[in-house]
Amino acid sequence: MNRPVWLACILLACAAAALGQVDSEALANSQQDDESWLMYGRNYSAWRYSPLDQIDTGNVGQIAPAWIFQTAESGKFQTTPLVRDGVMYVTGPSNHAWALDLKTGRELWHYSEPVPDDLTLCCGKPNRGFAILGNLLFKVNMQATLVALDATTGDVVWEVESADYRKGYSNTVAPLVVNGMVVVGIAGAEFGTRDFIDAYDAETGERRWRFWTVPGPGEPGNETWGGDSWKRGGASTWITGSYDPELNLIYWGTGNPGPDLDGAPRPGDNLYSDSMLALDADTGELRWHFQFTPHDVHDWDSVADPVLIDVEIDGQPRKALVHANRNGHFYALDRTSGEYLFARAYTEVNWADGMTSAGRPILIPGREPTDEGTLTCPGMGGGHNWHATSYSPQTGLYYFNSGDGCQIYHGATQDFVEGEFYLGSAMENVTGEPREGSILAVDPGTGDRRWRFPLVSPPTSGMLSTGGGLLFAGTLEGYFVALDAADGRLLWRLQTGGPVRAPAITYRFEGRQYVATAAGSAIIAFALPR
Amino acid sequence: MRWRVLTLLVSLAVGAAGQELERSPFHGDETSIGVGKASFRLRCSACHGIHAEGGKGPPLNRGEFAAGNRDVDIYRVIARGVPGTEMPAYGTRNTEENIWRIVAFLRTFEAVGDERVDGNAERGEAIFWGTGGCGGCHKVGRRGASYGPDLTRIGRSRSVQHLREALLDPGKDLPAGYFVVKVVTRDGRTVSGIGSGIDDFSAQLRDASGRLHSFLREDVESIEREFTSLMPSYGESLSDQQQRDLLVYMQALRGEESR
C-alpha cells in the first residue's frame, strides 16, 4: 500500500479492510485494489481489467507456474476465483469449493454439497464463482440454492432455495453483491421454467425482491406471449450482471424464450427474453429494457456481460452499456435510458439485414428452423456466448470471443412435459465446415474491429486485460496465452493439459503480480521468476 | 390410465433397479411420441439422422433392430449403450421416462427390414482384400492395416446409404475425428496425412506409411486442416456389380470376426 492510500485508510477508519473484511465501499472501489479480486467482473462495471503492470509485454515470456492446485473434480471448470487477504476462493463443478493459501496454493478448506440425481441439466454442472461481503462468501448450488459460507472455515452460515429444481430449475451463476444484498439469476429455460432475478439479504438470506423475467398476467409485457405460453417462457439469467452505483441500477441479461427453437406456441415478442434489463437495485423494479432478438427461435441467449463504460459515440460522450450478443452483433446502449445507440455484426450473420433506428433486427425471411433444417449463421452457441469479456481503459478496446460458423436448425413441435427438454428440436453442424472461433478486439465507441486472433475451435475461455498491455485467454485445446492487447500478437503460451473454460484473474501478493486461471481441473497461478 | 395397468401386468424386473418394462409405458401416446421425437433430434440425430434414417449410426426407422425387437431391447441399448462402439449409454444422463418416450417414438416406424442390396458377399470379400485394395487401409478383425477406420463392425454401425456414400463419395460424411492435415514446410515440402491433432499452435498427423509427424505452426510455412478424404473414390474403378458385392460384404460385417 502506498502512503497516501494508507493514510486515507486510517482517516476513513477502514478497520474492516485491515481485518480483511470486504465492505460495500471496498466493493465500490475494487478497481483500485491491486491485492484483491473481489467480484466476478472485478469491478461493478464488469471490466475485468487490472492496472497491475509488473508482468508486461516485455517480460511475459518469462512467467511460469508458481503453484498448481489440483481439484480432482472433473466437469467444466468455469470459475472466476476471488482473492482477498492472502486467500483465494474457488468454486468448482458439482457444488465443490475451496479456499487456497496464496503463498503456497495449499488447500485451507473444501466445501461440497451433493448434486441430486434427479436434477435435469442442459449443460453440465459448472459454477462461475463466489461473491463476497464481510466475512461471508456466497455461491449458488446446482439445485437452485444459494449458500453463504464463513470465509474462514467454509462452514455454511445460511442456505436458501431460490426455486424447486424438480421443476427444471438449476443454477450456475456467480452472485453479485449490491447494497448489502446478494443478487442472483437462475437457469432452466431448456425445461419450460419461468425465470427471474432475485436479491437476498446478505446477513440473513431473506429474499428482498424478485423480478420475473417473464411478466405474469396483468403485468406489462405479458401480452407479448400468446395464450399461457408465458408460464414456460424461460428467459434465464445465468450470467452475472453489472451495477452503476450512481444510477443505482443493476444491469442483467436474459436468455432464450422457451421452447428454444419452436416459436409457434409463443406468438409475440416474448418479453423479456433475450433482453438487457435495468433494475432499481433497492426494489428490483424495471427501469428500462432492450430486447436484442424479439421472438427468438435460435436460442440466442443475451446473458453476456453488460459492460459499463463512458465513451464517445457519434461525437457525443455517453454513459454506455456495451454487450456482445449471441445473435452475432455487438451493441451499445445508453445505460441511463436504455436508448439504442448502434449495433455492428462481428461475425457472419445471415438472419438479419441490419437494425431499425430503434435497434430491432430487420429479418431476412426464411431463416426459421424447419423440419428439413435451415442454415443460419451464427450457430446456436453464437457468436459470443457467455464467456467473460474485458475492457481495457489503457487500450480503449473491448475484448470478447466469438464462435464463428453456421448451423442447421431443425424444428419440431412438442408438447410440454415437466422434467423433459422443452427445446423444440435441434441443431446440426454443416458437413465439412467445422465451427471455429476468434478472440476479437473492438472499439467500443464504433464497433470497429481492431484485431482478430483466430481459433481452430469455438472459444471456451474468458478474457483478462492488464496494465502491462496484456490480454490473457485460453483455448479448448488447453493453451493459456498472453496476447499484446494493442494488436493481438501472441507473446506467450503454455499447454496446460486441460481445456481453459474460465477467465483468468490477476492480483498482487507479497510484492509479486500473479495471474491465475482454471485449466482442466486445476488452478494454476503464474508469476515472473523471483 | 392404460399404461399403468400395463406396467403392473407386463412389468419385467430386470437388473437391480427393476425398472424395465416389456413395453414402453408411452406406447402410442401422441404427446410422449412428440417429446420422444424432439429428444431424439436433440441427442441422437447427429449419428442416426434427423429422420432416424441412419448415417454415422445404423438406421432406426426400419422398424427392426439388431438388438431385438421388443421395446425393452431397444430401451436397454439406449440405456446401456454399446460398449466399444460410438453408441453412448444414456441411462445415467436421462430419466427412464425420457428413454421410454424415445422408444415410443422409434416404434412409430413400420417394419420394413434392412435395405436389401443385390450382391454377393463372397465376391465382395475377394474384392476387399484383392483388386479393391481396401485391406491396405482398413482392418477387419485382425487382418488389414489401420490407416482408415476399423471396419470389423461397420455393417452394424452404419446405414447402407452411408456405406455406399463412403465408396462413391468419400469425405462427404467423414467419421468423427477424421480430417486431413496438410503441412507446407519452410523448404517447400508438403507433408499430409490423417490428422491426429490440431490446435492454434501445432498439428500432428499420420502419413500413409503410418509414421507420426508433429509440427509447430511457427516452424512451417502453413498448416491446413481439410475435411476431405484420403480414400480414393471407387465409382469409376469398380463396376456397379462389384460395388454391390462390396456393400453386401460390408453389410455382413457385424463384429463377429475375432478381434
Side-chain angles (χ1 to χ4, degrees):
Chain A
M1 233 185 241
N2 65 30
R3 209 183 153 89
V5 174
W6 187 78
L7 274 175
C9 211
I10 293 185
L11 292 174
L12 291 169
C14 62
L19 285 168
Q21 299 269 325
V22 178
D23 58 13
S24 291
E25 200 165 315
L27 292 177
N29 297 323
S30 62
Q31 190 56 23
Q32 283 77 50
D33 183 352
D34 291 345
E35 317 233 310
S36 308
W37 189 288
L38 296 179
M39 65 181 83
Y40 182 72
R42 191 161 198 275
N43 64 3
Y44 274 138
S45 301
W47 284 2
R48 280 180 194 270
Y49 167 83
S50 161
L52 287 174
D53 59 2
Q54 191 178 73
I55 301 173
D56 62 23
T57 53
N59 62 20
V60 67
Q62 298 162 38
I63 64 171
W67 51 259
I68 300 177
F69 175 73
Q70 296 285 356
T71 66
E73 282 305 319
S74 63
K76 295 178 186 164
F77 203 6
Q78 299 181 340
T79 194
T80 292
L82 298 188
V83 166
R84 183 211 58 165
D85 206 23
V87 183
M88 181 183 292
Y89 302 101
V90 179
T91 68
S94 307
N95 297 346
H96 287 275
W98 301 266
L100 309 178
D101 173 24
L102 279 193
K103 195 179 292 228
T104 58
R106 299 280 296 163
E107 177 182 308
L108 300 172
W109 52 252
H110 175 196
Y111 160 88
S112 75
E113 172 71 31
V115 178
D117 287 338
D118 53 345
L119 188 61
T120 49
L121 297 170
C122 70
C123 320
K125 301 172 189 166
N127 184 283
R128 304 203 179 80
F130 277 121
I132 189 166
L133 183 68
N135 201 44
L136 290 182
L137 291 164
F138 310 96
K139 86 177 278 285
V140 299
N141 279 332
M142 288 310 306
Q143 52 266 45
T145 56
L146 171 65
V147 292
L149 306 182
D150 181 314
T152 317
T153 60
D155 292 342
V156 176
V157 176
W158 54 254
E159 176 160 8
V160 292
E161 183 187 272
S162 298
D164 183 355
Y165 76 82
R166 291 167 202 86
K167 296 198 154 57
Y169 290 105
S170 58
N171 218 347
T172 56
V173 70
L176 180 72
V177 167
V178 171
N179 299 346
M181 292 179 293
V182 187
V183 183
V184 290
I186 192 80
E190 272 63 50
F191 299 95
T193 56
R194 177 189 176 214
D195 299 334
F196 51 80
I197 299 167
D198 274 353
Y200 297 87
D201 187 292
E203 264 173 47
T204 63
E206 201 184 317
R207 196 165 87 206
R208 293 270 201 85
W209 51 255
R210 164 167 293 184
F211 178 80
W212 287 101
T213 52
V214 178
E219 289 170 346
N222 182 262
E223 73 288 350
T224 65
W225 295 86
D228 61 1
S229 60
W230 62 274
K231 288 184 180 164
R232 296 173 292 280
S236 298
T237 45
W238 49 283
I239 292 297
T240 312
S242 55
Y243 172 59
D244 184 328
E246 255 171 57
L247 299 168
N248 200 33
L249 290 180
I250 291 173
Y251 303 96
W252 210 287
T254 65
N256 63 275
D260 305 37
L261 300 195
D262 183 10
R266 47 174 173 86
D269 275 0
N270 308 141
L271 290 173
Y272 301 101
S273 67
D274 290 352
S275 299
M276 188 54 65
L277 304 176
L279 305 180
D280 181 300
D282 296 325
T283 61
E285 276 162 44
L286 182 67
R287 282 301 153 78
W288 58 255
H289 76 274
F290 178 85
Q291 190 176 39
F292 301 96
T293 312
H295 191 73
D296 174 24
V297 287
H298 294 103
D299 192 10
W300 286 328
D301 291 60
S302 303
V303 296
D305 294 354
V307 177
L308 313 184
I309 52 182
D310 296 345
V311 65
E312 195 163 296
I313 293 176
D314 285 332
Q316 236 182 300
R318 288 283 192 171
K319 280 181 177 298
L321 179 158
V322 297
H323 165 86
N325 195 276
R326 199 151 138 172
N327 72 14
H329 299 86
F330 168 81
Y331 290 80
L333 307 175
D334 182 318
R335 72 172 178 272
T336 61
S337 62
E339 185 196 340
Y340 165 79
L341 299 176
F342 71 84
R344 285 281 290 276
Y346 57 80
T347 185
E348 186 181 354
V349 167
N350 79 347
W351 64 279
D353 184 14
M355 305 282 159
T356 66
S357 60
R360 194 181 175 91
I362 299 166
L363 297 181
I364 294 174
R367 295 290 187 254
E368 303 78 32
T370 56
D371 195 50
E372 280 312 308
T374 310
L375 183 99
T376 307
C377 330
M380 198 262 313
H384 172 68
N385 191 342
W386 64 270
H387 307 94
T389 64
S390 178
Y391 166 70
S392 163
Q394 189 184 57
T395 59
L397 296 177
Y398 181 54
Y399 306 97
F400 58 93
N401 68 34
S402 167
D404 304 317
C406 314
Q407 269 185 321
I408 299 168
Y409 289 76
H410 293 274
T413 303
Q414 120 185 40
D415 291 326
F416 171 73
V417 171
E418 197 168 289
E420 289 278 2
F421 265 102
Y422 190 49
L423 221 66
S425 213
M427 287 66 54
E428 183 189 1
N429 287 337
V430 186
T431 312
E433 284 179 30
R435 306 202 61 227
E436 299 180 339
S438 27
I439 297 172
L440 300 175
V442 303
D443 178 335
T446 60
D448 288 344
R449 179 196 289 181
R450 282 300 174 76
W451 54 258
R452 169 175 189 261
F453 186 87
L455 302 172
V456 294
S457 303
T460 52
S461 96
M463 307 286 142
L464 164 71
S465 63
T466 69
L470 297 168
L471 182 74
F472 289 92
T475 74
L476 176 66
E477 292 83 11
Y479 288 97
F480 184 53
V481 303
L483 307 182
D484 187 320
D487 58 16
R489 234 172 357 118
L490 177 76
L491 298 174
W492 171 85
R493 68 165 188 263
L494 180 82
Q495 172 54 249
T496 65
V500 182
R501 300 188 185 277
I505 62 159
T506 187
Y507 54 89
R508 189 173 59 222
F509 176 66
E510 295 180 343
R512 283 172 99 195
Q513 182 187 357
Y514 290 79
V515 173
T517 187
S521 48
I523 295 280
I524 311 177
F526 298 87
L528 289 168
R530 273 182 208 282
Chain B
M1 234 193 247
R2 202 166 78 99
W3 68 264
R4 285 258 162 75
V5 180
L6 272 175
T7 309
L8 288 173
L9 289 179
V10 223
S11 91
L12 180 89
V14 188
Q19 84 283 26
E20 290 186 4
L21 319 177
E22 175 88 22
R23 189 171 198 201
S24 171
F26 304 111
H27 188 90
D29 175 65
E30 285 294 328
T31 294
S32 305
I33 290 170
V35 170
K37 178 179 173 183
S39 289
F40 178 85
R41 291 192 155 196
L42 183 65
R43 299 178 162 106
C44 325
S45 63
C47 297
H48 291 289
I50 200 85
H51 301 293
E53 74 278 14
K56 284 180 226 179
L60 302 177
N61 66 347
R62 309 194 67 84
E64 279 182 15
F65 298 85
N69 282 321
R70 296 172 309 164
D71 284 12
V72 62
D73 300 321
I74 306 170
Y75 179 98
R76 256 182 236 159
V77 197
I78 303 172
R80 298 178 190 172
V82 184
T85 76
E86 293 143 300
M87 174 63 198
Y90 288 90
T92 50
R93 301 181 254 172
N94 291 38
T95 62
E96 289 162 29
E97 287 80 12
N98 178 261
I99 298 178
W100 281 124
R101 288 187 182 105
I102 296 176
V103 173
F105 162 65
L106 292 177
R107 293 325 297 257
T108 59
F109 296 101
E110 247 173 78
V112 292
D114 277 352
E115 184 184 338
R116 298 209 41 93
V117 178
D118 183 19
N120 178 300
E122 265 168 44
R123 283 201 311 257
E125 181 169 14
I127 300 166
F128 193 93
W129 300 109
T131 49
C134 318
C137 289
H138 292 287
K139 265 192 163 168
V140 174
R142 299 195 173 187
R143 194 173 166 197
S146 29
Y147 193 52
D150 188 319
L151 300 181
T152 307
R153 209 181 156 90
I154 202 73
R156 201 165 161 153
S157 60
R158 302 287 186 261
S159 66
V160 181
Q161 175 54 27
H162 177 92
L163 297 178
R164 194 178 287 124
E165 212 171 79
L167 267 186
L168 304 182
D169 190 3
K172 187 156 177 234
D173 190 12
L174 292 171
Y178 273 87
F179 58 93
V180 171
V181 167
K182 207 163 117 191
V183 178
V184 179
T185 60
R186 286 263 163 82
D187 55 10
R189 265 183 322 128
T190 301
V191 186
S192 65
I194 295 190
S196 38
I198 185 153
D199 59 48
D200 301 309
F201 309 108
S202 75
Q204 295 74 39
L205 63 91
R206 254 182 318 135
D207 68 16
S209 68
R211 258 189 64 201
L212 282 169
H213 302 260
S214 177
F215 297 96
L216 290 177
R217 286 185 195 268
E218 61 221 43
D219 295 343
V220 297
E221 201 54 45
S222 67
I223 291 182
E224 226 74 66
R225 169 176 56 171
E226 289 173 357
F227 288 86
T228 51
S229 180
L230 290 177
M231 169 167 152
S233 165
Y234 289 88
E236 303 283 302
S237 57
L238 295 179
S239 71
D240 283 3
Q241 187 57 54
Q242 287 175 312
Q243 290 170 22
R244 286 199 297 273
D245 293 342
L246 267 173
L247 281 180
V248 174
Y249 168 62
M250 286 196 285
Q251 252 191 314
L253 296 175
R254 320 282 293 176
E256 279 109 33
E257 347 286 298
S258 64
R259 281 217 164 227

